[in-house]
Amino acid sequence: MSSSATNTATYKFNHTMLRIKDPKVSIPWYEKVLGMQKFKESPGGDFTNYFLAFPAGFGDKANASDDEKASVQLNREGVLELCHNWGTESDPNFKGYASGNEEPGRGFGHIAVTVDNLEAAVKRFDELGVKFKKRPEEGKMRHIAFIYDPDGYWIEILAQQK
């Protein structure tokens, strides 16, 4: 395979996909707690993928329609794809997905989000009733927090570098 036909310097980390139990719970959580926006919904045969991102990542299309945002989805970074397999939200036997941080299924760790002010973000998360895995004042790493999303995935919260 020839490497001369592509330039790895132009590659971008586009998105990560997480499986969710109930989009009526998870999507509002990501919108309200983290400030992401759902800009695309893509139903399949027995599942639906929802695409969310921070508006600023769309540049001059930040205030554009969802269709316009979807048209540039593959040209940006930082997209979160939430995959809902139909029926999990109402299945009393569904135990949830492995977060990757516990057995069985240890492997995947977390996603990370940077914030403008860690202390203010932690206070806001408290006000919203967000569950913490680790608060900044706990442990040796005082510059980070970890919160849980509705499906038990860890989200690392870090202050942006100024």
Side-chain angles (χ1 to χ4, degrees), residues 52-129:
L52 296 91
F54 292 107
F58 286 107
D60 62 354
K61 293 197 182 292
N63 295 316
S65 71
D66 287 348
D67 287 341
E68 288 177 285
K69 289 177 184 173
S71 74
V72 297
Q73 170 187 344
L74 298 180
N75 294 331
R76 63 157 297 156
E77 297 178 289
V79 174
L80 181 63
E81 176 183 357
L82 300 178
C83 178
H84 172 238
N85 293 296
W86 300 346
T88 54
E89 72 283 4
S90 58
D91 181 353
N93 297 315
F94 182 72
K95 305 289 187 225
Y97 293 105
S99 70
N101 290 301
E102 299 163 358
E103 298 298 344
R106 186 177 298 272
F108 176 81
H110 62 271
I111 61 172
V113 171
T114 60
V115 298
D116 59 345
N117 182 318
L118 182 61
E119 184 178 323
V122 167
K123 182 178 182 205
R124 183 174 169 277
F125 295 151
D126 281 335
E127 292 167 355
L128 292 170

Side-chain angles (χ1 to χ4, degrees), residues 8-84:
T8 59
T10 66
Y11 290 12
K12 298 177 182 179
F13 188 89
N14 180 253
H15 73 272
T16 295
M17 186 274 280
L18 301 175
R19 285 179 170 57
I20 58 171
K21 177 180 179 178
D22 188 347
K24 291 180 182 171
V25 175
S26 295
I27 292 169
W29 188 91
Y30 278 93
E31 290 176 333
K32 182 177 181 180
V33 172
L34 294 181
M36 298 181 96
Q37 290 180 348
K38 177 178 72 87
F39 66 90
K40 182 178 176 183
E41 188 172 319
S42 181
D46 57 356
F47 66 92
T48 301
N49 291 326
Y50 302 91
F51 295 86
L52 296 91
F54 292 107
F58 286 107
D60 62 354
K61 293 197 182 292
N63 295 316
S65 71
D66 287 348
D67 287 341
E68 288 177 285
K69 289 177 184 173
S71 74
V72 297
Q73 170 187 344
L74 298 180
N75 294 331
R76 63 157 297 156
E77 297 178 289
V79 174
L80 181 63
E81 176 183 357
L82 300 178
C83 178
H84 172 238

